[in-house]
Amino acid sequence: ELYLGSRANTTGNRARIQASSHVPERVRAAAVTRATMRTLALISTASALLHSQAPLRTSKPLGAIDITNRGYVRIDTEKETVAHPKAAPVLDEVSLRKCVDEAVQDADWHRPISVLGSTGSIGTQTLDFCRARPDRFSVIALCAGGNYQLLATQVAEFRRTVTTVGISDGSKLEPLKEALKAAGVDCASLEIYGGADAATACATAQGADVVVTGVVGTAGLPPTVAAIEAGKDIALANKETLIAGGPAILPLLKKHGTAMTPADSEHSAIFQALQGVPPNGMRKVILTASGGAFRDLTAKELADKCENDAEWVRAKATTHPNWDMGAKITVDSATMMNKGLEVIEAHYLFGADYDDIDVVVHPQSIIHSAIETQDNSVIAQLGWPDMRLPLLYSVSWPHRVRMPQDQWEPRFDLVELGSMTFKGPDNDKYPCIGLAYAAGRVGGTMTGCLNAANEMANEMFREGAFEYLDIPRVIEAAMEAHKADFVQEPSLDEIIEVDLWARRFVKDFASAKKEVFA
């Protein structure tokens, strides 16, 4: 039998094609033809065999790479907390002393910043508080992807302090220079870069103390590595840095003594809650989730909708019940893969064991996340949803910066809030959470494989090439196939190679599925 479903199928059933006359001859032939095996690697139970001739670089026997340990089960145990290497400056003596020593110098501090992805949402929000508090922040370097007009406007505004400018789309370098001249900026006074090295040049700009990594995808890895090697602190807004690159990034942070502070709301909440917690003081991380578009449906109701009204599911998955967000993150919220990825990121940021990371559905999104300490105290960070606060704290840590109230969210009011609700996630409805736990427990390049496969599956779902339940199926198939090329301690090049491979795998999966059902 050729399995086209997977253990990630929320209905618990495997769709299958019997090797009989009902199967087109081309499918049976393809299943045994080496030239097309990679295309048919959607058959997750055969994936390891399909890649059996690939060069093996894994440091574990294939049988020891277990991607079935999905089980996210909310349990309390008396076992000792296991600590792992971590990226964030918490839970150790050096970080505690640095936090106290710098915090008491509150009157004197100033933070020069380099902003990667300055024209995106992370970049523009960073510039909002640089604009509001020039006494605390100065802009040293700005880098954009291709929006040269907005970049030129930003450089003109912050020309007093900006020394380095970059645009990753090399074809926009000359238009950028023309736009700068039109804005009255003296280009001779700037270092201006275009192309693949632009982000790295800005990340290592002389005079910047902290780099905000608002770059999307694995393109953010090389400049982040360069910034760490140059001794810059990292305000982390690029998830691939740790989810895919964690095995390579953590040793670099330790080697160069640089700090990495989280800029997203959930991990910032954990980071804030950990301030002052002594080494070995944390027992558990508690990540909160909105529940996404399907939070009010049961697993059976969602499965029925997927079977009978696929386009309703597609439209619903791209509409968040709480906020107007980008299409990709909205679908990730619907599958709750966003939370699975945050589990992996929490492991690398805070050194928490996967058994000590909880996920809780909290529809109001007021508690952004929490920690439990060894004495059973739970410390949470609350507030109205606003990405600017975690971003601000990532560059101002350990200081607290007062912002002009007319440029900030209304102050939080418990009475206005009234009440909050919580529940555990439905593992049948959200198989992506379990896949993320499984990838995280394997470690190495498996988390990068998961992330890249999800990104491509998400995109192809939005384009109509996949159905909703195909997303966890293809991710699992990619993970199963990746066992043959798994690397426990990868280099940066190997991490990027796996990312590219996983994206091609998903495209091949879609092509094979289309052929099978033609």
Side-chain angles (χ1 to χ4, degrees):
E1 294 177 329
L2 306 181
Y3 288 91
L4 299 185
S6 78
R7 292 183 296 276
N9 188 335
T10 59
T11 66
N13 298 319
R14 290 183 176 182
R16 59 186 69 182
I17 295 180
Q18 298 287 342
S20 67
S21 60
H22 297 293
V23 183
E25 180 60 30
R26 65 180 184 278
V27 177
R28 290 200 300 274
V32 294
T33 302
R34 191 68 190 178
T36 57
M37 279 182 173
R38 200 150 185 125
T39 302
L40 288 179
L42 67 122
I43 306 164
S44 64
T45 57
S47 293
L49 293 176
L50 299 182
H51 289 75
S52 60
Q53 294 183 8
L56 298 183
R57 294 169 290 141
T58 175
S59 58
K60 294 181 179 180
L62 289 185
I65 302 176
D66 180 15
I67 66 166
T68 65
N69 190 2
R70 316 288 164 80
Y72 164 68
V73 181
R74 301 187 66 245
I75 57 174
D76 288 319
T77 70
E78 294 304 317
K79 70 175 185 178
E80 291 294 318
T81 302
V82 178
H84 298 268
K86 55 185 173 54
V90 290
L91 298 172
D92 61 69
E93 181 180 351
V94 172
S95 298
L96 279 168
R97 292 188 182 279
K98 179 180 179 180
C99 179
V100 172
D101 290 346
E102 292 193 11
V104 296
Q105 300 172 5
D106 187 75
D108 303 322
W109 71 275
H110 183 85
R111 199 64 47 84
I113 298 174
S114 172
V115 185
L116 307 185
S118 68
T119 58
S121 61
I122 295 295
T124 55
Q125 289 178 86
T126 300
L127 297 181
D128 281 345
F129 53 75
C130 291
R131 184 180 298 113
R133 292 299 303 267
D135 57 322
R136 293 302 190 195
F137 307 105
S138 56
V139 182
I140 302 300
L142 293 168
C143 184
N147 190 345
Y148 69 90
Q149 293 174 320
L150 179 54
L151 177 60
T153 300
Q154 293 172 340
V155 174
E157 179 180 1
F158 294 99
R159 73 181 76 187
R160 187 178 63 84
T161 57
V162 169
T163 63
T164 309
V165 180
I167 189 156
S168 296
D169 182 347
S171 68
K172 303 294 176 61
L173 179 59
E174 291 307 317
L176 170 63
K177 291 179 179 179
E178 292 299 320
L180 288 170
K181 292 176 184 177
V185 176
D186 179 12
C187 293
S189 67
L190 301 171
E191 295 183 23
I192 306 175
Y193 299 87
D197 296 331
T200 296
C202 291
T204 57
Q206 187 174 3
D209 289 346
V210 61
V211 179
V212 178
T213 59
V215 181
V216 176
T218 52
L221 279 169
T224 301
V225 168
I228 294 170
E229 292 176 338
K232 314 289 187 184
D233 290 337
I234 305 297
L236 183 64
N238 170 272
K239 62 184 177 62
E240 284 80 9
T241 297
L242 289 181
I243 293 170
I249 293 295
L250 263 61
L252 281 176
L253 290 168
K254 183 177 181 180
K255 176 181 178 180
H256 295 281
T258 53
M260 178 172 281
T261 52
D264 68 307
S265 60
E266 290 83 0
H267 298 106
S268 176
I270 297 162
F271 182 56
Q272 292 179 62
L274 282 170
Q275 299 306 305
V277 175
N280 302 314
M282 184 179 73
R283 185 176 186 178
K284 181 184 290 186
V285 166
I286 304 169
L287 282 165
T288 56
S290 69
F294 302 121
R295 67 189 183 196
D296 297 324
L297 296 180
T298 66
K300 183 180 184 305
E301 289 170 339
L302 178 56
D304 289 343
K305 284 289 189 182
C306 289
E307 181 177 355
N308 299 312
D309 198 349
E311 291 311 309
W312 179 90
V313 172
R314 199 181 316 277
K316 183 74 171 175
T318 53
T319 306
H320 196 279
N322 290 358
W323 308 294
D324 181 14
M325 304 188 298
K328 193 269 180 184
I329 186 60
T330 301
V331 173
D332 275 352
S333 180
T335 65
M336 284 194 71
M337 179 57 91
N338 69 324
K339 211 52 51 179
L341 296 173
E342 287 169 14
V343 166
I344 297 169
E345 198 169 359
H347 165 77
Y348 282 121
L349 273 168
F350 308 113
D353 191 76
Y354 285 99
D355 288 343
D356 296 324
I357 303 175
D358 245 356
V359 175
V360 177
V361 176
H362 169 43
Q364 294 79 22
S365 301
I366 296 299
I367 293 180
H368 299 300
S369 279
I371 64 163
E372 180 183 338
T373 56
Q374 295 291 356
D375 56 5
N376 297 346
S377 177
V378 174
I379 305 171
Q381 189 262 329
L382 288 73
W384 304 125
D386 184 357
M387 275 305 301
R388 287 175 297 179
L389 172 58
L391 185 56
L392 172 62
Y393 193 66
S394 72
V395 297
S396 64
W397 175 82
H399 307 286
R400 293 288 183 172
V401 180
R402 184 163 183 164
M403 299 296 292
Q405 200 55 50
D406 61 345
Q407 299 180 28
W408 214 244
E409 287 293 313
R411 293 166 66 183
F412 183 61
D413 188 333
L414 283 169
V415 175
E416 181 180 345
L417 171 65
S419 63
M420 296 183 289
T421 58
F422 308 90
K423 62 180 179 180
D426 185 330
N427 295 328
D428 291 330
K429 188 167 67 172
Y430 300 120
C432 285
I433 299 178
L435 289 170
Y437 271 91
R441 288 183 174 114
V442 172
T445 51
M446 192 61 76
T447 52
C449 172
L450 169 99
N451 177 70
N454 174 68
E455 285 201 3
M456 184 54 64
N458 181 314
E459 179 181 329
M460 298 189 80
F461 165 72
R462 286 181 277 124
E463 292 174 351
F466 279 164
E467 302 306 329
Y468 179 80
L469 295 182
D470 287 331
I471 296 175
R473 289 172 182 153
V474 70
I475 294 169
E476 181 182 20
M479 290 169 62
E480 185 72 36
H482 181 53
K483 284 183 179 183
D485 281 328
F486 172 77
V487 184
Q488 186 68 63
E489 297 180 358
S491 66
L492 185 63
D493 287 343
E494 287 171 324
I495 289 167
I496 294 173
E497 178 186 342
V498 168
D499 180 276
L500 296 173
W501 170 84
R503 294 172 192 274
R504 291 195 302 269
F505 181 96
V506 174
K507 291 181 178 179
D508 290 347
F509 183 104
S511 298
K513 181 182 180 222
K514 183 178 180 181
E515 180 182 353
V516 168
F517 291 103

